Amino acid sequence: MSDKPEISFGTRIRKSPFFDSTIKWGCKGYTVYNKMYMPTFYKSFVDDYWSLVKDVTLWDVAGERQVEIKGKDAERFIEFITPRDISKCKIGQCMYILLTEKNGGIVNDPVLLKLDQNHFWLSIADSDVLLWCLGIASSKNFDISLGEPDVSPLSLQGPKAPSVMEKLVGSWVRDLKFFNFKKFQISDIPVYIARSGWSGEAGYEIYLCDGKLGNELWEIIMKAGKEFNIAPAAPSQISRIESGMLSYGSDMSLSETPYDINLEKFIDFDKKSNCLSMNHLKKIKEEGPKKRLVGIEIETSNFDDYIADHIILYDNNEKIGKITSSVYSPRLKKNIGLAIINFSKNITNSEYNIKIKDKFIKTKICKLPFLRNK
Ligand code: THG
């Protein structure tokens, strides 16, 4: 037993179809994501990161549950809950979308998959999308069915991910375009394979369609990856902060609108379909955003773990925002992070302070992304 508190395992929190494999392969830390245990690291955060950026890593991200929307009004329903124009999404294509409530607050930032004309999945971040959708669907007149299918994603990320995938399914997979997916079978196990993933590296996501076969699929992939030095790992905070990807709950919540986190490019004001938040988002556009998400560099050598809390940013003694995520980047050899700052100030070329244990530390605003290899 370590001297740190541990998370307790029980039947109230769900286990992923890959759970036994993650234990067997030496997972040392878990978080809870959509009420399911999800690995956070194996060897260490930094060792796992080097495997990701140099070789290839396999992650259990089954906690990214799928919310299935089927039926005659499926597309109209999704148009209603996101300000992005999804009428352009083709079958076999993914789209990153923001789900927003009436006042523009972000409910979730899922990946949308269009499986068929009237059939979609939302591959969700950590919040209760199914409940929210059921509430909307029952109060409005949408002819749809909603549910959580037996579908669980794995993520294969790293520069050698294309080689591992080619060995598993054939050379066609190298030509799969970013954010496109295909139905396939790996040793008779039904899957969907997408070119996507929450890292700054090349990668694929493999959506398992039969939970009973999770551990079998895991072993098949690890065996294929052996010659490429594959390692079990988990979504890397280091890589995703370097590449400027956001995490729901940390960098955005119901209290932020797409403008506050600089994702207004995922709002299509000229979309034809009716959308719940559109009127309010138009108002924000006219008034101008009140907050902005920025990259930061924290100038201290005495800081080698990510900060687990939202640390307040000061301009002299005035509170001007908060750090939403931060980490030490072993490649940049710097402490980097994301922050949301109030937009009343001129934010370019600015330096701020953060207070850690009552000491002020210099913090610089910088451009995003810090690093990206895909
Ligand atoms: N994969 C799947 N489901 C997910 C995630 C994932 N659900 C939760 C969470 N991650 C959602 N968040 C993101 C954030 C960014 C991206 C994907 C999911 C992403 N963004 C592209 C980028 O930054 O390059 C941009 C996409 C675009 O421009 O359309 O990939 O990781 N299945």
Side-chain angles (χ1 to χ4, degrees):
M1 290 271 274
S2 80
D3 51 5
K4 281 194 183 157
E6 287 179 34
I7 204 161
S8 301
F9 292 92
T11 49
R12 188 173 50 78
I13 309 290
R14 305 184 282 183
K15 301 207 174 68
S16 106
F18 315 109
F19 183 79
D20 291 346
S21 298
T22 64
I23 296 275
K24 177 184 157 192
W25 285 82
C27 181
K28 292 211 200 81
Y30 291 85
T31 187
V32 176
Y33 200 87
N34 286 317
K35 302 167 185 75
M36 184 175 275
Y37 299 111
M38 189 158 88
T40 51
F41 76 100
Y42 287 74
K43 271 185 156 172
S44 74
F45 289 113
V46 173
D47 286 319
D48 292 0
Y49 162 83
W50 285 120
S51 294
L52 165 65
V53 300
K54 287 186 168 160
D55 298 318
V56 53
T57 52
L58 183 63
W59 315 346
D60 168 7
V61 286
E64 294 166 353
R65 303 308 302 156
Q66 309 306 299
V67 171
E68 184 166 68
I69 303 148
K70 273 172 123 167
K72 188 168 75 57
D73 294 332
E75 185 165 311
R76 190 167 69 85
F77 178 77
I78 300 163
E79 291 277 25
F80 189 67
I81 60 174
T82 181
R84 194 162 181 191
D85 182 359
I86 67 143
S87 69
K88 295 173 189 124
C89 189
K90 299 195 178 80
I91 295 168
Q93 204 187 317
C94 309
M95 255 192 187
Y96 179 53
I97 63 174
L98 300 172
L99 307 182
T100 41
E101 50 81 31
K102 197 170 179 183
N103 294 318
I106 301 170
V107 174
N108 201 284
D109 68 328
V111 176
L112 170 74
L113 292 89
K114 182 166 181 173
L115 294 116
D116 208 340
Q117 208 47 51
N118 298 321
H119 186 189
F120 297 84
W121 290 340
L122 296 172
S123 182
I124 63 170
D126 185 22
S127 75
D128 292 319
V129 174
L130 181 55
L131 289 179
W132 184 65
C133 288
L134 284 167
I136 293 172
S138 59
S139 65
K140 301 258 172 189
N141 196 17
F142 287 105
D143 184 1
I144 53 168
S145 66
L146 286 159
E148 188 189 84
D150 176 11
V151 174
S152 302
L154 283 171
S155 199
L156 187 73
Q157 301 288 307
K160 297 179 187 163
S163 304
V164 178
M165 277 316 288
E166 180 174 5
K167 191 171 160 191
L168 280 166
V169 304
S171 58
W172 63 269
V173 84
R174 287 194 181 266
D175 300 325
L176 192 64
K177 290 205 188 81
F178 185 64
F179 264 42
N180 279 55
F181 68 89
K182 252 200 152 97
K183 195 173 180 173
F184 205 73
Q185 297 213 326
I186 298 178
S187 300
D188 290 334
I189 301 174
V191 295
Y192 284 84
I193 297 167
R195 185 135 200 170
S196 52
W198 202 61
S199 81
E201 306 299 321
Y204 294 88
E205 292 182 305
I206 303 155
Y207 293 75
L208 167 69
C209 298
D210 183 350
K212 292 191 302 299
L213 304 175
N215 295 307
E216 196 182 315
L217 179 62
W218 178 281
E219 294 298 335
I220 290 170
I221 300 169
M222 291 308 277
K223 195 170 159 209
K226 196 159 188 268
E227 64 172 296
F228 302 100
N229 219 9
I230 194 168
S236 167
Q237 292 296 324
I238 309 175
S239 169
R240 74 93 184 167
I241 292 172
E242 285 175 345
S243 61
M245 292 172 119
L246 307 186
S247 178
Y248 189 82
S250 295
D251 310 309
M252 70 184 101
S253 69
L254 272 174
S255 308
E256 279 76 38
T257 72
Y259 283 101
D260 296 336
I261 54 164
N262 304 3
L263 292 187
E264 60 267 32
K265 67 178 171 197
F266 297 116
I267 304 174
D268 291 310
F269 283 111
D270 51 4
K271 74 185 231 172
K272 293 204 176 67
S273 235
N274 191 21
C275 166
L276 169 68
S277 56
M278 208 46 112
N279 281 342
H280 201 87
L281 292 171
K282 272 186 192 143
K283 213 172 113 204
I284 299 173
K285 189 185 179 195
E286 280 155 22
E287 288 169 0
K290 302 225 168 21
K291 298 189 258 184
R292 268 341 232 172
L293 184 126
V294 294
I296 53 164
E297 204 183 299
I298 305 162
E299 295 182 358
T300 172
S301 52
N302 184 16
F303 169 95
D304 58 5
D305 206 350
Y306 69 92
I307 301 177
D309 238 323
H310 287 128
I311 290 186
I312 302 296
L313 276 169
Y314 293 88
D315 185 6
N316 293 314
N317 270 318
E318 187 194 348
K319 284 185 190 175
I320 54 118
K322 62 179 182 183
I323 298 181
T324 57
S325 307
S326 56
V327 81
Y328 176 74
S329 162
R331 278 185 293 183
L332 297 168
K333 299 191 170 56
K334 282 174 186 169
N335 302 303
I336 57 170
L338 306 172
I340 294 181
I341 60 175
N342 303 335
F343 200 49
S344 53
K345 300 253 170 190
N346 177 13
I347 56 170
T348 45
N349 302 319
S350 306
E351 284 195 350
Y352 298 112
N353 289 311
I354 56 169
K355 219 189 236 170
I356 301 179
K357 290 182 185 145
D358 287 336
K359 256 180 62 188
F360 276 112
I361 292 168
K362 215 191 272 174
T363 305
K364 227 172 47 193
I365 305 282
C366 25
K367 269 214 184 98
L368 288 172
F370 296 97
L371 264 181
R372 206 173 249 242
N373 292 328
K374 67 175 179 194

